[in-house]
Amino acid sequence: MSYKTEDAIDEEKPDVSVSGTGRNDALAWAAPSRSTADYRALDAAHHIHPFSDMGSLNRAGSRVIVKARGVYLSDSDGNRIIDGMAGLWCVNVGYGRKELADAAYRQMRELPYYNTFFRTTHPPVIELSALLAELTPQPFTHFFYCNSGSEGNDTVLRIVHQYWAAQRKPRKFVIARKNAYHGSTIAGATLGGMAYMHEQMPSKVENIVHIDQPYFFGEAASDQTPEEFALARAQQLEAKILDLGADNVAAFIGEPFQGAGGVIFPAATYWPEIQRICRKYEVLLVADEVIGGFGRTGEWFAHQYFGFEPDLITLAKGLTSGYVPMGAVGLHDRVARALIGNGDFNHGFTYSGHPVAAAVALANLKLLRDERIVERVKADTGPYFQRKLRQTFAGHPIVGEISGAGLVAGVQLAEEPLRRKRFANGGDVGAMCRDFCFNGNLIMRASDDRMLLSPPLVISRLEIDEIVSKAKTAIDATARELGAL
Ligand SMILES: *Cc1c(COP(=O)(O)O)cnc(C)c1O
């Protein structure tokens, strides 16, 4: 099969300022048009940031990021910062890839927008769907598009209920997990079991219930093995299904590994048991692959890493490497067949399958495939990163565990690592460590008392060394501040 979209367009040289492959060029720094102080004042005066306390942020002043190449960011003061988070887990191919800028430019010239509502379609969305069908594991045949992971999970709810309605067997409940993250729309936040997101407003989406998460370090009994604990947590699903009524549960949704919740990797016993239970009660199994998808674990999709087969997958982030917004839901052939030919699917967005986003996604996926980036994560940089982290923090006085695979990792900060005793003020300790990272020009995120890393998948061994050594410096500084080193 061939992808002809680009050939069909005249080969006029695009006039875009992104240059080089982005991997190896030095991060040239052109002075931005305003001073940092001016940027900060205007930002404080007019911009509300996501998930932020604007009062304290405005007092401290935001960091102004002006440029990026490869795995490095540059701020308005000319500091070079290594991005250990690939933006928000999304810039899988790294910053500054000309191929993606060219694809967007060409598509904007050719067809900047058209919808896919009223019996119309267009080449980029057709090519993207065909390529996704090829890159996803066997049974995923159909794709629905949206603009984000949150909208993807809203879409999942619509599909799940339509699936059961189409069979004249409506089922009411969807089961999710505490400390999950499924986005910030009302449905996304209801699915995600992050309590602080619910406290803000009284309304939620109805009929969504939660079971406990497979967070061994924080929640296992002292005599449980990781395997026993994960199995027990999976079996909560069966208990919950029986509690709600076996033919009243439409779906279960989970991130193969929890991302924002702390890069929590369940033991190998977890997902096979979840899958067994879903099959037994015919509950649809949804994998939220928004972070895990497109190579993060060294497999194309995280459910392949954990060895299970979902009925639906939510995609976003790495789908376009964050260059433009796009999300999608992948449907198992069985689900697609139930949906197709059963009347209208009453759901869609103005920008569903947006041609520019689709063209960028297509260029991005071709890079991941043709440069064998995922294979390199699996065979080389992933194992190197995991080994390096584990060696560096072995026996560290405030590091309780390293979780992760491929190019994603969580570092658990703990008061007594060997006894799995967490800090009473873990959130403050994490924030302190994050500030040390920030000042050391490393982007490393804190989720409560876990420090998270998820760098661009094109990162080199040398750059991994830099991240790990900067993380060590910050975690050592945190330990010293706490009197533990
Ligand atoms: C980021 C994320 C989402 C939400 O995606 P948005 O594009 O921010 O709406 C959903 N699920 C998971 C697992 C995520 O990490």
Side-chain angles (χ1 to χ4, degrees):
M1 145 166 222
S2 69
Y3 305 101
K4 287 279 190 225
T5 337
E6 289 174 18
D7 304 347
I9 297 168
D10 60 310
E11 279 300 335
E12 192 182 338
K13 278 276 171 293
D15 172 29
V16 286
S17 58
V18 176
S19 63
T21 65
R23 292 261 20 251
N24 296 316
D25 24 299
L27 181 45
W29 185 73
S33 51
R34 293 180 193 270
S35 71
T36 299
D38 282 358
Y39 277 132
R40 285 187 176 154
L42 282 175
D43 193 68
H46 303 297
H47 179 200
I48 305 278
H49 292 230
F51 289 98
S52 302
D53 172 343
M54 289 312 300
S56 65
L57 179 60
N58 289 345
R59 280 190 298 279
S62 294
R63 194 168 217 174
V64 185
I65 305 298
V66 293
K67 198 176 171 86
R69 284 289 180 279
V71 302
Y72 290 98
L73 309 168
S74 174
D75 72 10
S76 54
D77 291 329
N79 293 305
R80 190 169 183 263
I81 305 153
I82 191 158
D83 186 3
M85 283 303 297
L88 277 178
W89 326 78
C90 55
V91 188
N92 288 13
V93 298
Y95 298 93
R97 292 302 306 248
K98 186 172 185 299
E99 295 86 341
L100 273 59
D102 288 351
Y105 178 87
R106 274 201 292 268
Q107 189 57 47
M108 281 196 188
R109 297 283 300 259
E110 188 76 13
L111 179 72
Y113 176 75
Y114 201 71
N115 73 75
T116 51
F117 278 37
F118 309 116
R119 295 173 174 260
T120 53
T121 187
H122 50 71
V125 81
I126 295 167
E127 300 291 352
L128 176 60
S129 305
L131 182 56
L132 279 172
E134 217 175 85
L135 293 175
T136 49
Q138 248 308 310
F140 292 95
T141 51
H142 288 74
F143 299 86
F144 180 94
Y145 298 95
C146 50
N147 307 290
S148 68
S150 304
E151 290 180 0
N153 287 324
D154 280 41
T155 300
V156 158
L157 289 184
R158 283 254 165 78
I159 292 176
V160 156
H161 289 300
Q162 174 84 356
Y163 171 88
W164 289 110
Q167 299 175 62
R168 313 257 179 292
K169 291 189 281 189
R171 292 183 169 200
K172 198 158 133 191
F173 291 100
V174 172
I175 301 177
R177 301 176 304 173
K178 295 174 191 162
N179 195 37
Y181 189 77
H182 296 297
S184 196
T185 52
I186 309 294
T190 308
L191 286 169
M194 292 188 168
Y196 69 95
M197 289 180 72
H198 297 313
E199 286 157 9
Q200 220 161 241
M201 59 182 283
S203 48
K204 294 183 192 177
V205 172
E206 284 172 57
N207 303 320
I208 292 172
V209 297
H210 295 87
I211 59 173
D212 288 322
Q213 58 175 327
Y215 175 26
F216 177 78
F217 191 91
E219 299 184 357
S222 59
D223 60 349
Q224 267 177 317
T225 66
E227 290 71 25
E228 288 165 357
F229 170 76
L231 200 62
R233 284 290 154 103
Q235 284 162 353
Q236 278 194 11
L237 176 60
E238 186 156 30
K240 184 62 86 179
I241 290 171
L242 293 173
D243 191 33
L244 296 168
D247 51 14
N248 216 3
V249 178
F252 169 78
I253 182 169
E255 303 152 83
F257 61 89
Q258 288 149 266
V263 184
I264 292 165
F265 267 63
T269 46
Y270 185 77
W271 282 109
E273 181 67 1
I274 292 280
Q275 173 164 288
R276 182 193 69 78
I277 295 164
C278 286
R279 297 278 182 273
K280 180 171 172 190
Y281 301 100
E282 298 182 324
V283 168
L284 290 176
L285 175 50
V286 185
D288 182 339
E289 290 271 8
V290 170
I291 289 177
F294 306 108
R296 194 45 62 196
T297 62
E299 301 291 343
W300 271 86
F301 297 91
H303 71 263
Q304 297 172 296
Y305 173 83
F306 288 102
F308 69 101
E309 189 188 286
D311 298 299
L312 291 158
I313 48 177
T314 317
L315 308 171
K317 297 191 170 122
L319 172 60
T320 54
S321 282
Y323 279 53
V324 291
M326 182 176 238
V329 176
L331 286 71
H332 190 294
D333 186 45
R334 176 173 65 243
V335 179
R337 274 189 276 114
L339 228 60
I340 294 167
N342 265 305
D344 280 353
F345 181 48
N346 296 311
H347 179 60
F349 301 101
T350 302
Y351 300 132
S352 283
H354 192 286
V356 176
V360 171
L362 201 55
N364 173 60
L365 298 181
K366 286 179 185 173
L367 281 187
L368 283 172
R369 178 193 64 188
D370 298 344
E371 296 186 352
R372 302 182 60 78
I373 292 170
V374 181
E375 285 83 346
R376 198 163 72 100
V377 173
K378 181 172 186 171
D380 180 38
T381 46
Y384 181 77
F385 177 65
Q386 298 296 331
R387 204 162 55 235
K388 188 99 194 166
L389 279 170
R390 282 166 176 77
Q391 281 166 1
T392 302
F393 292 107
H396 193 283
I398 64 161
V399 174
E401 75 164 354
I402 308 286
S403 61
L407 287 175
V408 63
V411 180
Q412 172 78 54
L413 304 178
E415 187 173 338
E416 289 181 49
L418 296 177
R419 291 184 46 225
R420 284 199 265 122
K421 180 162 183 259
R422 296 167 72 189
F423 290 107
N425 59 339
D428 299 337
V429 175
M432 183 201 303
C433 183
R434 192 218 25 232
D435 290 345
F436 281 124
C437 294
F438 206 70
N439 296 334
N441 287 332
L442 164 67
I443 303 283
M444 187 179 193
R445 177 163 162 188
S447 167
D448 200 8
D449 54 2
R450 289 170 75 87
M451 304 305 300
L452 316 183
L453 286 169
S454 175
L457 302 185
V458 294
I459 194 167
S460 68
R461 285 186 173 219
L462 220 65
E463 291 160 342
I464 287 172
D465 290 348
E466 181 182 341
I467 285 186
V468 174
S469 116
K470 285 187 161 161
K472 172 82 162 52
T473 303
I475 291 172
D476 283 354
T478 307
R480 266 195 297 279
E481 192 75 19
L482 296 167
L485 192 73

CSV table of all heavy atoms in Angstrom, one decimal, residues 99-142:
chain,number,residue,atom,x,y,z
A,99,GLU,N,9.7,17.8,8.6
A,99,GLU,CA,8.7,17.0,7.9
A,99,GLU,C,7.3,17.4,8.4
A,99,GLU,O,6.3,17.4,7.6
A,99,GLU,CB,8.9,15.5,8.1
A,99,GLU,CG,10.3,15.0,7.6
A,99,GLU,CD,11.5,15.2,8.5
A,99,GLU,OE1,11.4,16.0,9.5
A,99,GLU,OE2,12.5,14.5,8.3
A,100,LEU,N,7.1,17.6,9.7
A,100,LEU,CA,5.8,17.9,10.2
A,100,LEU,C,5.3,19.3,9.8
A,100,LEU,O,4.2,19.5,9.4
A,100,LEU,CB,5.7,17.7,11.7
A,100,LEU,CG,5.4,16.2,12.2
A,100,LEU,CD1,6.5,15.3,11.6
A,100,LEU,CD2,5.3,16.2,13.7
A,101,ALA,N,6.3,20.2,9.9
A,101,ALA,CA,5.9,21.6,9.5
A,101,ALA,C,5.6,21.7,8.0
A,101,ALA,O,4.6,22.3,7.6
A,101,ALA,CB,7.1,22.5,9.8
A,102,ASP,N,6.3,20.9,7.2
A,102,ASP,CA,6.1,20.9,5.7
A,102,ASP,C,4.7,20.3,5.4
A,102,ASP,O,3.9,20.8,4.6
A,102,ASP,CB,7.1,20.1,5.0
A,102,ASP,CG,8.5,20.8,4.9
A,102,ASP,OD1,8.5,22.0,5.3
A,102,ASP,OD2,9.5,20.1,4.5
A,103,ALA,N,4.4,19.2,6.2
A,103,ALA,CA,3.1,18.6,5.9
A,103,ALA,C,1.9,19.5,6.3
A,103,ALA,O,0.9,19.6,5.5
A,103,ALA,CB,3.0,17.3,6.8
A,104,ALA,N,2.1,20.3,7.4
A,104,ALA,CA,1.0,21.2,7.7
A,104,ALA,C,0.9,22.3,6.7
A,104,ALA,O,-0.2,22.7,6.3
A,104,ALA,CB,1.3,21.8,9.1
A,105,TYR,N,2.1,22.8,6.2
A,105,TYR,CA,2.1,23.9,5.3
A,105,TYR,C,1.4,23.5,4.0
A,105,TYR,O,0.6,24.2,3.4
A,105,TYR,CB,3.5,24.4,5.0
A,105,TYR,CG,3.7,25.4,4.0
A,105,TYR,CD1,3.6,26.8,4.4
A,105,TYR,CD2,3.9,25.1,2.7
A,105,TYR,CE1,3.7,27.8,3.4
A,105,TYR,CE2,4.1,26.1,1.7
A,105,TYR,CZ,4.0,27.4,2.1
A,105,TYR,OH,4.1,28.4,1.1
A,106,ARG,N,1.8,22.3,3.5
A,106,ARG,CA,1.3,21.8,2.2
A,106,ARG,C,-0.2,21.6,2.3
A,106,ARG,O,-1.0,22.0,1.4
A,106,ARG,CB,1.9,20.5,1.8
A,106,ARG,CG,3.2,20.7,1.0
A,106,ARG,CD,3.6,19.4,0.3
A,106,ARG,NE,3.9,18.4,1.1
A,106,ARG,CZ,5.2,18.1,1.5
A,106,ARG,NH1,6.2,18.8,1.1
A,106,ARG,NH2,5.4,17.1,2.3
A,107,GLN,N,-0.7,21.1,3.4
A,107,GLN,CA,-2.1,20.8,3.6
A,107,GLN,C,-2.9,22.1,3.7
A,107,GLN,O,-4.0,22.2,3.2
A,107,GLN,CB,-2.3,19.9,4.8
A,107,GLN,CG,-3.8,19.4,4.9
A,107,GLN,CD,-4.2,18.6,3.6
A,107,GLN,OE1,-3.5,17.8,3.1
A,107,GLN,NE2,-5.4,19.0,3.1
A,108,MET,N,-2.3,23.1,4.4
A,108,MET,CA,-3.1,24.4,4.5
A,108,MET,C,-3.2,25.0,3.1
A,108,MET,O,-4.2,25.7,2.9
A,108,MET,CB,-2.3,25.3,5.4
A,108,MET,CG,-2.6,25.0,6.9
A,108,MET,SD,-2.1,26.4,7.9
A,108,MET,CE,-2.2,25.7,9.6
A,109,ARG,N,-2.2,24.9,2.3
A,109,ARG,CA,-2.3,25.4,0.9
A,109,ARG,C,-3.3,24.6,0.1
A,109,ARG,O,-4.1,25.2,-0.7
A,109,ARG,CB,-1.0,25.4,0.2
A,109,ARG,CG,0.1,26.2,0.9
A,109,ARG,CD,0.0,27.7,0.6
A,109,ARG,NE,0.0,28.0,-0.8
A,109,ARG,CZ,1.1,28.4,-1.5
A,109,ARG,NH1,2.2,28.7,-0.8
A,109,ARG,NH2,1.1,28.7,-2.8
A,110,GLU,N,-3.4,23.3,0.3
A,110,GLU,CA,-4.2,22.5,-0.6
A,110,GLU,C,-5.7,22.5,-0.1
A,110,GLU,O,-6.6,22.7,-0.9
A,110,GLU,CB,-3.7,21.1,-0.5
A,110,GLU,CG,-4.3,20.1,-1.4
A,110,GLU,CD,-3.8,20.3,-2.9
A,110,GLU,OE1,-2.8,21.0,-3.0
A,110,GLU,OE2,-4.4,19.7,-3.8
A,111,LEU,N,-5.9,22.2,1.1
A,111,LEU,CA,-7.3,22.2,1.7
A,111,LEU,C,-7.1,22.4,3.2
A,111,LEU,O,-6.9,21.5,4.0
A,111,LEU,CB,-7.9,20.8,1.4
A,111,LEU,CG,-9.3,20.6,2.0
A,111,LEU,CD1,-10.4,21.4,1.2
A,111,LEU,CD2,-9.7,19.1,2.0
A,112,PRO,N,-7.3,23.6,3.7
A,112,PRO,CA,-7.0,23.9,5.1
A,112,PRO,C,-8.1,23.3,6.0
A,112,PRO,O,-7.8,23.0,7.1
A,112,PRO,CB,-7.0,25.4,5.2
A,112,PRO,CG,-7.8,25.9,4.0
A,112,PRO,CD,-7.6,24.9,2.9
A,113,TYR,N,-9.3,23.3,5.5
A,113,TYR,CA,-10.4,22.8,6.3
A,113,TYR,C,-11.4,22.2,5.4
A,113,TYR,O,-11.8,22.8,4.4
A,113,TYR,CB,-11.0,23.9,7.2
A,113,TYR,CG,-12.2,23.3,8.0
A,113,TYR,CD1,-12.0,22.4,9.0
A,113,TYR,CD2,-13.5,23.5,7.5
A,113,TYR,CE1,-13.0,21.8,9.7
A,113,TYR,CE2,-14.5,22.9,8.2
A,113,TYR,CZ,-14.3,22.1,9.2
A,113,TYR,OH,-15.4,21.4,9.9
A,114,TYR,N,-11.9,21.0,5.8
A,114,TYR,CA,-13.3,20.6,5.4
A,114,TYR,C,-13.8,19.6,6.4
A,114,TYR,O,-13.0,19.0,7.0
A,114,TYR,CB,-13.4,20.1,4.0
A,114,TYR,CG,-14.8,20.3,3.5
A,114,TYR,CD1,-15.4,21.5,3.3
A,114,TYR,CD2,-15.7,19.2,3.5
A,114,TYR,CE1,-16.7,21.7,3.0
A,114,TYR,CE2,-17.0,19.3,3.2
A,114,TYR,CZ,-17.5,20.6,3.0
A,114,TYR,OH,-18.9,20.7,2.8
A,115,ASN,N,-15.1,19.6,6.6
A,115,ASN,CA,-15.6,18.7,7.6
A,115,ASN,C,-15.8,17.3,7.1
A,115,ASN,O,-15.8,17.0,5.8
A,115,ASN,CB,-16.9,19.3,8.2
A,115,ASN,CG,-18.0,19.2,7.3
A,115,ASN,OD1,-18.6,18.1,7.1
A,115,ASN,ND2,-18.4,20.3,6.6
A,116,THR,N,-16.1,16.4,8.0
A,116,THR,CA,-16.4,15.0,7.6
A,116,THR,C,-17.8,14.6,8.0
A,116,THR,O,-18.1,13.4,8.2
A,116,THR,CB,-15.4,14.0,8.2
A,116,THR,OG1,-15.3,14.3,9.6
A,116,THR,CG2,-14.0,14.3,7.6
A,117,PHE,N,-18.7,15.6,8.1
A,117,PHE,CA,-20.0,15.3,8.6
A,117,PHE,C,-21.0,14.8,7.5
A,117,PHE,O,-21.5,13.7,7.6
A,117,PHE,CB,-20.7,16.6,9.2
A,117,PHE,CG,-20.3,16.9,10.6
A,117,PHE,CD1,-19.0,16.7,11.1
A,117,PHE,CD2,-21.2,17.5,11.5
A,117,PHE,CE1,-18.7,17.0,12.4
A,117,PHE,CE2,-20.9,17.8,12.8
A,117,PHE,CZ,-19.6,17.6,13.2
A,118,PHE,N,-21.2,15.6,6.5
A,118,PHE,CA,-22.3,15.3,5.6
A,118,PHE,C,-21.9,14.6,4.4
A,118,PHE,O,-21.8,15.2,3.3
A,118,PHE,CB,-23.0,16.7,5.3
A,118,PHE,CG,-23.3,17.5,6.5
A,118,PHE,CD1,-22.8,18.7,6.7
A,118,PHE,CD2,-24.2,17.0,7.5
A,118,PHE,CE1,-23.1,19.4,7.9
A,118,PHE,CE2,-24.6,17.7,8.6
A,118,PHE,CZ,-24.0,18.9,8.8
A,119,ARG,N,-21.6,13.3,4.5
A,119,ARG,CA,-21.3,12.5,3.3
A,119,ARG,C,-20.0,13.0,2.6
A,119,ARG,O,-19.9,13.0,1.4
A,119,ARG,CB,-22.4,12.5,2.3
A,119,ARG,CG,-23.7,11.8,2.8
A,119,ARG,CD,-24.8,11.9,1.9
A,119,ARG,NE,-25.9,11.1,2.4
A,119,ARG,CZ,-26.2,9.9,1.9
A,119,ARG,NH1,-25.5,9.4,0.9
A,119,ARG,NH2,-27.2,9.2,2.4
A,120,THR,N,-19.1,13.6,3.4
A,120,THR,CA,-17.8,14.1,2.8
A,120,THR,C,-16.7,13.5,3.5
A,120,THR,O,-16.8,13.1,4.7
A,120,THR,CB,-17.7,15.6,2.8
A,120,THR,OG1,-17.9,16.1,4.1
A,120,THR,CG2,-18.7,16.3,1.8
A,121,THR,N,-15.5,13.4,2.8
A,121,THR,CA,-14.3,13.0,3.5
A,121,THR,C,-13.2,13.7,2.7
A,121,THR,O,-13.4,14.5,1.8
A,121,THR,CB,-14.2,11.5,3.5
A,121,THR,OG1,-13.0,11.1,4.2
A,121,THR,CG2,-14.1,10.9,2.1
A,122,HIS,N,-11.9,13.4,3.0
A,122,HIS,CA,-10.8,14.0,2.3
A,122,HIS,C,-9.6,13.1,2.4
A,122,HIS,O,-9.5,12.3,3.3
A,122,HIS,CB,-10.5,15.4,2.8
A,122,HIS,CG,-10.4,15.6,4.3
A,122,HIS,ND1,-9.3,15.1,5.0
A,122,HIS,CD2,-11.2,16.1,5.2
A,122,HIS,CE1,-9.5,15.3,6.3
A,122,HIS,NE2,-10.6,15.9,6.4
A,123,PRO,N,-8.6,13.3,1.5
A,123,PRO,CA,-7.5,12.4,1.4
A,123,PRO,C,-6.7,12.2,2.8
A,123,PRO,O,-6.4,11.1,3.2
A,123,PRO,CB,-6.6,12.9,0.3
A,123,PRO,CG,-7.6,13.6,-0.6
A,123,PRO,CD,-8.6,14.2,0.3
A,124,PRO,N,-6.4,13.3,3.5
A,124,PRO,CA,-5.5,13.1,4.7
A,124,PRO,C,-6.2,12.2,5.7
A,124,PRO,O,-5.6,11.3,6.3
A,124,PRO,CB,-5.3,14.5,5.3
A,124,PRO,CG,-5.6,15.4,4.1
A,124,PRO,CD,-6.5,14.8,3.2
A,125,VAL,N,-7.5,12.4,5.9
A,125,VAL,CA,-8.2,11.5,7.0
A,125,VAL,C,-8.3,10.1,6.5
A,125,VAL,O,-8.3,9.1,7.3
A,125,VAL,CB,-9.5,12.2,7.4
A,125,VAL,CG1,-10.6,11.8,6.4
A,125,VAL,CG2,-9.9,11.7,8.8
A,126,ILE,N,-8.4,9.9,5.2
A,126,ILE,CA,-8.5,8.5,4.6
A,126,ILE,C,-7.1,7.8,4.8
A,126,ILE,O,-7.1,6.7,5.3
A,126,ILE,CB,-8.9,8.6,3.1
A,126,ILE,CG1,-10.3,9.1,3.0
A,126,ILE,CG2,-8.7,7.2,2.5
A,126,ILE,CD1,-10.7,9.5,1.5
A,127,GLU,N,-6.1,8.6,4.4
A,127,GLU,CA,-4.7,8.0,4.5
A,127,GLU,C,-4.4,7.7,6.0
A,127,GLU,O,-3.8,6.7,6.3
A,127,GLU,CB,-3.7,8.9,3.9
A,127,GLU,CG,-3.8,9.3,2.5
A,127,GLU,CD,-3.6,8.1,1.6
A,127,GLU,OE1,-3.1,7.0,2.0
A,127,GLU,OE2,-3.9,8.2,0.3
A,128,LEU,N,-4.7,8.6,6.9
A,128,LEU,CA,-4.4,8.4,8.3
A,128,LEU,C,-5.1,7.2,8.8
A,128,LEU,O,-4.6,6.4,9.6
A,128,LEU,CB,-4.8,9.7,9.1
A,128,LEU,CG,-4.6,9.6,10.6
A,128,LEU,CD1,-3.1,9.3,11.0
A,128,LEU,CD2,-5.1,10.9,11.3
A,129,SER,N,-6.4,7.0,8.5
A,129,SER,CA,-7.2,5.9,9.0
A,129,SER,C,-6.6,4.6,8.5
A,129,SER,O,-6.5,3.6,9.3
A,129,SER,CB,-8.6,6.0,8.6
A,129,SER,OG,-9.2,7.3,9.0
A,130,ALA,N,-6.2,4.6,7.2
A,130,ALA,CA,-5.6,3.4,6.7
A,130,ALA,C,-4.3,3.1,7.4
A,130,ALA,O,-4.0,1.9,7.7
A,130,ALA,CB,-5.4,3.5,5.2
A,131,LEU,N,-3.5,4.1,7.6
A,131,LEU,CA,-2.2,3.9,8.3
A,131,LEU,C,-2.4,3.4,9.7
A,131,LEU,O,-1.7,2.5,10.2
A,131,LEU,CB,-1.3,5.1,8.2
A,131,LEU,CG,0.1,5.0,8.8
A,131,LEU,CD1,0.9,3.9,8.1
A,131,LEU,CD2,0.9,6.3,8.6
A,132,LEU,N,-3.3,4.0,10.4
A,132,LEU,CA,-3.6,3.6,11.8
A,132,LEU,C,-4.0,2.1,11.9
A,132,LEU,O,-3.7,1.4,12.8
A,132,LEU,CB,-4.6,4.5,12.5
A,132,LEU,CG,-4.1,5.8,13.0
A,132,LEU,CD1,-5.3,6.7,13.5
A,132,LEU,CD2,-3.1,5.6,14.2
A,133,ALA,N,-4.9,1.7,10.9
A,133,ALA,CA,-5.3,0.3,10.8
A,133,ALA,C,-4.1,-0.6,10.7
A,133,ALA,O,-4.1,-1.7,11.2
A,133,ALA,CB,-6.3,0.1,9.7
A,134,GLU,N,-3.1,-0.1,10.0
A,134,GLU,CA,-1.9,-0.9,9.7
A,134,GLU,C,-1.0,-0.9,11.0
A,134,GLU,O,-0.4,-2.0,11.3
A,134,GLU,CB,-1.1,-0.3,8.6
A,134,GLU,CG,-0.5,-1.2,7.6
A,134,GLU,CD,0.1,-0.5,6.5
A,134,GLU,OE1,1.3,0.0,6.6
A,134,GLU,OE2,-0.6,-0.4,5.4
A,135,LEU,N,-0.9,0.2,11.6
A,135,LEU,CA,0.1,0.3,12.8
A,135,LEU,C,-0.5,-0.3,14.1
A,135,LEU,O,0.3,-0.7,14.9
A,135,LEU,CB,0.5,1.8,13.0
A,135,LEU,CG,1.3,2.4,11.9
A,135,LEU,CD1,1.5,3.9,12.1
A,135,LEU,CD2,2.7,1.7,11.7
A,136,THR,N,-1.8,-0.2,14.3
A,136,THR,CA,-2.4,-0.8,15.5
A,136,THR,C,-2.4,-2.3,15.3
A,136,THR,O,-2.4,-2.8,14.2
A,136,THR,CB,-3.8,-0.2,15.7
A,136,THR,OG1,-4.6,-0.3,14.5
A,136,THR,CG2,-3.8,1.3,16.1
A,137,PRO,N,-2.5,-3.0,16.4
A,137,PRO,CA,-2.6,-4.4,16.3
A,137,PRO,C,-3.9,-4.9,15.6
A,137,PRO,O,-4.8,-4.2,15.5
A,137,PRO,CB,-2.6,-4.9,17.8
A,137,PRO,CG,-2.1,-3.7,18.6
A,137,PRO,CD,-2.5,-2.5,17.8
A,138,GLN,N,-3.8,-6.1,15.1
A,138,GLN,CA,-4.8,-6.7,14.2
A,138,GLN,C,-6.2,-6.2,14.3
A,138,GLN,O,-6.7,-5.7,13.3
A,138,GLN,CB,-4.7,-8.2,14.3
A,138,GLN,CG,-4.2,-8.8,13.0
A,138,GLN,CD,-4.9,-8.4,11.8
A,138,GLN,OE1,-6.2,-8.4,11.7
A,138,GLN,NE2,-4.2,-8.0,10.8
A,139,PRO,N,-6.9,-6.3,15.3
A,139,PRO,CA,-8.4,-6.2,15.2
A,139,PRO,C,-8.9,-4.7,15.1
A,139,PRO,O,-10.0,-4.5,14.9
A,139,PRO,CB,-8.9,-6.8,16.5
A,139,PRO,CG,-7.8,-6.7,17.5
A,139,PRO,CD,-6.6,-6.7,16.7
A,140,PHE,N,-7.9,-3.7,15.2
A,140,PHE,CA,-8.4,-2.3,15.2
A,140,PHE,C,-8.6,-1.9,13.7
A,140,PHE,O,-7.6,-1.8,13.0
A,140,PHE,CB,-7.5,-1.4,15.9
A,140,PHE,CG,-7.6,-1.7,17.4
A,140,PHE,CD1,-6.7,-2.5,18.0
A,140,PHE,CD2,-8.6,-1.1,18.1
A,140,PHE,CE1,-6.8,-2.8,19.4
A,140,PHE,CE2,-8.8,-1.4,19.5
A,140,PHE,CZ,-7.9,-2.2,20.1
A,141,THR,N,-9.8,-1.7,13.3
A,141,THR,CA,-10.1,-1.5,11.9
A,141,THR,C,-10.6,-0.1,11.6
A,141,THR,O,-10.5,0.4,10.5
A,141,THR,CB,-11.2,-2.5,11.4
A,141,THR,OG1,-12.3,-2.4,12.3
A,141,THR,CG2,-10.6,-3.9,11.3
A,142,HIS,N,-11.2,0.6,12.7
A,142,HIS,CA,-11.9,1.9,12.4
A,142,HIS,C,-11.5,2.9,13.4
A,142,HIS,O,-11.2,2.6,14.6
A,142,HIS,CB,-13.4,1.7,12.5
A,142,HIS,CG,-14.0,0.9,11.3
A,142,HIS,ND1,-13.8,-0.5,11.2
A,142,HIS,CD2,-14.7,1.3,10.2
A,142,HIS,CE1,-14.4,-0.8,10.0
A,142,HIS,NE2,-14.9,0.2,9.4
